Amino acid sequence: MAAGAPSEYQLKAAFLYNFALFTEWPEHVGDTLNLCVYGSDPFGADLLKLEERSVGTRRLSVHLTPTLNELSNCELVFISRSAIGQLPQILGTVDGSPVLTVADSPSAMRRGVAINMITQQNRIAFEANLTAARAQGLNLSSRLLRLAEEVEQ
């Protein structure tokens, strides 16, 4: 990696922020968007830099979420690779809530995660499951969807 080039998870943290920006949240979601990491935290300090950043009229709050029960307090959940084996339980916990699920694990989009980050030719890309996002009451911007490698509808 070139000196000064951002790390994989620095880039993925930036992607998470942009996913939040280009998601339409229901009005009843309050002034704060809770961004939660479920499983071991691959971001380190890079994600904490997003604390208090503006997302439209809302602010981001970053949480490392140790239990399934706490996921119901999140609007954006990053499911780390260490926790992907618990995907059915995670999706079941947030089902019906305005929660954008994001992962970076093979086939996660096909398994019901709204956005899955992938690495292609040394660059970060993503695929979107519009059906999964809409089932949570969320709408992904057409500007975001145009950038996706694949969109499942």
Side-chain angles (χ1 to χ4, degrees):
M1 188 179 311
S7 72
E8 175 185 359
Y9 280 94
Q10 280 176 310
L11 291 171
K12 287 181 177 179
F15 269 75
L16 281 175
Y17 178 68
N18 283 303
F19 296 153
L21 282 175
F22 290 99
T23 298
E24 214 175 283
W25 308 89
E27 274 187 39
H28 66 82
V29 171
D31 295 339
T32 303
L33 291 177
N34 291 304
L35 166 55
C36 303
V37 175
Y38 188 75
S40 60
D41 174 21
F43 297 97
D46 296 323
L47 201 59
L48 296 176
K49 292 175 185 167
L50 298 180
E51 184 74 30
E52 294 298 314
R53 292 272 309 265
S54 293
V55 177
T57 59
R58 298 180 172 105
R59 296 248 173 242
L60 271 182
S61 179
V62 177
H63 305 273
L64 303 179
T65 308
T67 69
L68 275 173
N69 294 340
E70 291 174 279
L71 293 181
S72 59
N73 300 322
C74 305
E75 284 74 38
L76 181 62
V77 175
F78 178 80
I79 305 156
S80 74
R81 290 176 186 162
S82 69
I84 204 70
Q86 292 179 278
L87 190 57
Q89 297 92 321
I90 295 164
L91 295 177
T93 299
V94 301
D95 188 37
S97 301
V99 176
L100 182 68
T101 52
V102 181
D104 66 348
S105 296
S107 76
M109 182 212 34
R110 298 204 190 309
R111 295 175 58 204
V113 171
I115 298 177
N116 189 47
M117 291 185 267
I118 53 178
T119 304
Q120 290 185 331
Q121 293 137 2
N122 292 327
R123 70 179 187 90
I124 310 284
F126 66 94
E127 45 196 19
N129 185 329
L130 196 52
T131 305
R134 287 182 175 155
Q136 300 302 106
L138 303 173
N139 200 21
L140 303 178
S141 158
S142 60
R143 289 170 59 196
L144 180 68
L145 295 174
R146 276 197 298 271
L147 299 173
E149 291 296 315
E150 182 181 347
V151 177
E152 188 168 293
Q153 299 203 42

